[in-house]
Every structure is written in structure tokens, then in C-alpha cells.
């Protein structure tokens, strides 16, 4: 790492160490080193010919429920076979080092909860949960798949309550509204943050992509970790180029040192 990188890393860590209301916005990039392809990575294997934006939509599910269901089953199995990485664990340590850390994630893999972060806002739902596509008992009508017998080669089961609509993953599809509570919390946290750390998102999908701008408008310093530029990069006070699993542990090590010195 060059001397300049060291200086940037130290300043990056100092800003975080001095934060009293840290918001962390995470995207698919933080799970990349867990082996979970990001959304805009080239789709691999049997899904290579599909564009996620063609699969993750209500109309795609209506047109071909089995195709969409099978894609989510494939992704859920990929996630279940994977483990959180050093970046996820670094955020747990950060939560223990600082007065307030709230994670606002676009990811549906549940890894932030799995490693023990306590304040996680899920903007796009959770791939491990299933619900009735018609919300027959209210939104969301959760379905416990372990209690259902069905021909799993035939695609999604019917909702066991209304027996009319299909079961679907509890994730937000394109053109769908985000969970209102989660979005309201995310706006509040972003407005109040003194620092927002943005990790592994291209900043292409609204409204998640607007949160760093909202935070900056309210005086927050914006920090970014991403190997590539994103729509957020232009408002970042510092952008560290590289993978989160490599960079974030280095940042947290320096935050720990800052906190130790300031506590002595
Ligand atoms: N560490 C950090 N960032 C990384 C890494 C890594 N190891 N590898 C890739 N990235 C970055 C990429 O440079 C890119 O900017 O992660 C980002 C991933 O961008 P997307 O694939 O667009 O994922 P994301 O921003 O989370 O997508 C947002 O779009 O498709 C919808 O709902 C879906 O939640 C998703 C949303």
C-alpha cells in the first residue's frame, strides 16, 4: 500500500472513529467475497442468459412463476452454501466500537443479521422468507415452506391460506414499493447521520441510491469502499478503491487504535 494510501486509510478511519451517528449503506459488493455474485456481475451458469431486471419483477413472475421461483431457489441455495466474510464481521466490531451504527442494506442475504449486527434496516426484503403473492391475509402473509408438501419441480406452491395465489420470495421486485417502515427508518437515519459509509453498491437503484445524497445534504461526511466508481463517488469525502473484505478490516483496525488512544 502506498504512503498516500496509508494517509487516506488513516483519515478514513479517523472520520469513522469520531462519528457519533454512523450510517452504513451496503450493496451486493459487500457479499462478493462470500461468493455471492453482485446484481450487475455477469450472471453465471444456467442463468447467464437472463438479466436480473427481467427476472426480479412482478410481471416476470406472473408470466413464468416457475422460472422466477427457480432463480430465487438457486440464489437462496447459493447464499445458504456461503458464509459472511471479513467485511461483515468488521461491521460487527464497528458497532461495538462506536456510539451508534445503523446498517441500511439493499442485500437480501441476511448476512448482517447472521454475524450479529443489531441495527439493520432491510430495504429490499429477505430471500429466506416466503409470502403469499396476493398478501391474502395482509402484507406480508408469510408462508412456512417447511410445512408444505408440493412438487418442487413444478415451481412455487400455492399459498396454503388462500389456495389461489402462488408463494413468492419476500423480496422487493423492480416496480414494487419498498417496505414503508424500512424506508422511513432509512430516511431518518440518513438525515441524522454525521458520517455515512457506503460499501459495495453501484448506486443505480432508487430510492436506496438517494440516501447518501440525503445524508450529505444534512451535513454528513460520505465515505465509500468500492473497487469501481459509483454514482456516489462524486460526493465521497474519501473513496477507498478495492474489495470490502480486504479494506474494511484494515479500517476497523485503525478505528480501534484511534478509540484506544482517545480513551487513554
Ligand atoms: N467489495 C466492495 N464492492 C464491490 C466488490 C467488493 N469485493 N465487488 C464488487 N463491488 C461493487 C461493484 O463495483 C458495484 O459498484 O459492488 C457494486 C455492486 O453493484 P450492483 O451489482 O448494482 O449491486 P447493488 O448496488 O447492491 O444493486 C442494488 O439493485 O438489482 C437491484 O435489488 C437489487 O439490491 C439490488 C439493487
Amino acid at each position: 500500500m502506498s504512503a498516500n494510501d496509508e494517509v487516506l486509510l488513516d483519515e478514513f478511519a479517523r472520520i469513522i472513529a469520531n462519528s457519533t451517528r454512523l450510517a452504513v449503506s451496503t450493496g451486493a459488493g459487500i457479499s462478493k467475497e462470500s461468493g455471492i455474485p453482485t446484481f450487475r456481475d455477469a450472471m453465471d451458469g444456467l442463468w447467464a442468459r437472463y438479466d436480473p431486471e427481467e427476472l426480479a419483477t412482478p410481471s416476470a413472475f406472473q408470466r413464468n412463476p416457475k422460472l422466477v421461483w427457480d432463480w430465487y431457489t438457486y440464489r437462496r441455495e447459493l447464499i445458504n452454501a456461503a458464509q459472511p466474510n471479513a467485511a461483515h464481521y468488521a461491521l460487527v466490531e464497528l458497532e461495538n466500537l462506536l456510539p451508534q451504527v445503523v446498517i441500511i442494506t439493499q442485500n437480501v442475504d441476511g448476512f448482517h443479521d447472521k454475524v450479529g449486527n443489531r441495527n439493520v434496516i432491510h430495504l429490499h426484503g429477505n430471500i429466506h422468507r416466503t409470502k403469499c403473492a396476493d398478501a391474502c391475509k395482509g402484507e406480508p402473509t408469510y408462508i412456512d415452506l417447511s410445512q408444505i408438501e408440493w412438487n418442487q419441480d413444478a415451481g412455487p406452491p400455492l399459498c396454503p391460506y388462500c389456495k389461489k395465489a402462488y408463494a413468492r420470495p419476500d423480496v422487493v421486485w423492480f416496480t414494487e414499493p419498498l417496505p414503508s417502515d424500512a424506508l422511513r427508518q432509512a430516511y431518518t437515519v440518513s438525515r441524522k447521520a454525521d458520517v455515512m459509509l457506503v460499501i459495495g453498491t453501484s448506486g443505480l437503484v432508487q430510492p436506496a441510491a438517494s440516501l447518501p445524497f440525503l445524508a450529505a445534504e444534512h451535513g454528513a461526511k460520505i465515505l465509500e469502499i468500492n473497487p469501481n466508481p459509483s454514482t456516489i463517488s462524486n460526493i465521497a469525502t474519501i473513496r477507498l478503491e478495492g474489495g470490502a473484505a480486504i479494506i474494511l478490516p484494515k479500517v476497523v483496525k485503525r478505528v480501534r487504535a484511534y478509540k484506544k488512544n482517545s480513551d487513554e
Side-chain angles (χ1 to χ4, degrees), residues 26-33 37-41 52-53 56 106-108 124 172 174 199-205 208 224-230 242-245:
T26 66
I30 198 169
S31 295
K32 181 77 181 290
E33 274 113 333
T38 67
F39 253 83
R40 284 154 191 87
D41 269 344
E53 302 202 10
Q106 298 169 76
N107 298 340
V108 295
H124 294 168
V172 178
F174 288 101
I199 307 170
T201 181
S202 57
L204 293 174
V205 174
E224 185 179 33
I225 297 174
N226 194 323
N228 306 301
S230 73

Side-chain angles (χ1 to χ4, degrees), residues 9 12 225-226 240-252:
L9 199 53
F12 197 97
I225 297 174
N226 194 323
L240 296 179
E241 279 193 24
I246 306 293
I247 291 183
L248 203 49
K250 289 180 181 169
V251 167
V252 173

Side-chain angles (χ1 to χ4, degrees), residues 126-225:
N126 182 327
I127 200 168
H128 304 292
R129 280 199 306 258
T130 302
K131 64 183 182 182
C132 172
D134 276 0
C136 64
K137 291 166 68 180
E139 177 60 39
T141 299
Y142 289 132
I143 294 169
D144 180 353
L145 290 177
S146 67
Q147 304 302 313
I148 300 180
E149 292 281 322
W150 85 100
N151 169 11
Q152 305 203 13
D153 294 333
L158 285 178
C159 166
Y161 303 108
C162 65
K163 298 185 176 45
K164 285 203 320 273
Y166 284 118
R168 58 160 282 185
D170 184 26
V171 298
V172 178
W173 282 334
F174 288 101
T175 74
E176 289 187 320
L178 274 63
S180 50
D181 286 351
L183 191 52
R184 194 173 28 254
Q185 286 168 25
Y187 283 139
T188 303
V189 166
S190 301
R191 271 196 295 270
K192 292 185 175 170
D194 55 0
V195 178
M196 181 176 276
L197 171 56
V198 182
I199 307 170
T201 181
S202 57
L204 293 174
V205 174
Q206 295 297 351
S210 66
L211 297 176
F213 294 85
L214 179 67
E217 275 163 31
H218 286 77
K221 282 199 175 76
I222 307 301
L223 301 174
E224 185 179 33
I225 297 174

Side-chain angles (χ1 to χ4, degrees), residues 55-74:
L55 288 171
T57 66
S59 53
F61 187 66
Q62 273 160 359
R63 250 192 335 270
N64 191 336
K66 177 173 172 15
L67 176 72
V68 175
W69 178 264
D70 289 352
W71 182 50
Y72 276 91
T73 302
Y74 158 72

Side-chain angles (χ1 to χ4, degrees), residues 91-111:
L91 289 182
V92 182
E93 187 169 358
L94 218 42
E95 185 169 312
N96 296 329
L97 282 170
L98 299 174
Q100 186 190 83
V101 175
V102 180
I103 296 176
I104 304 169
T105 190
Q106 298 169 76
N107 298 340
V108 295
D109 56 32
F111 279 177

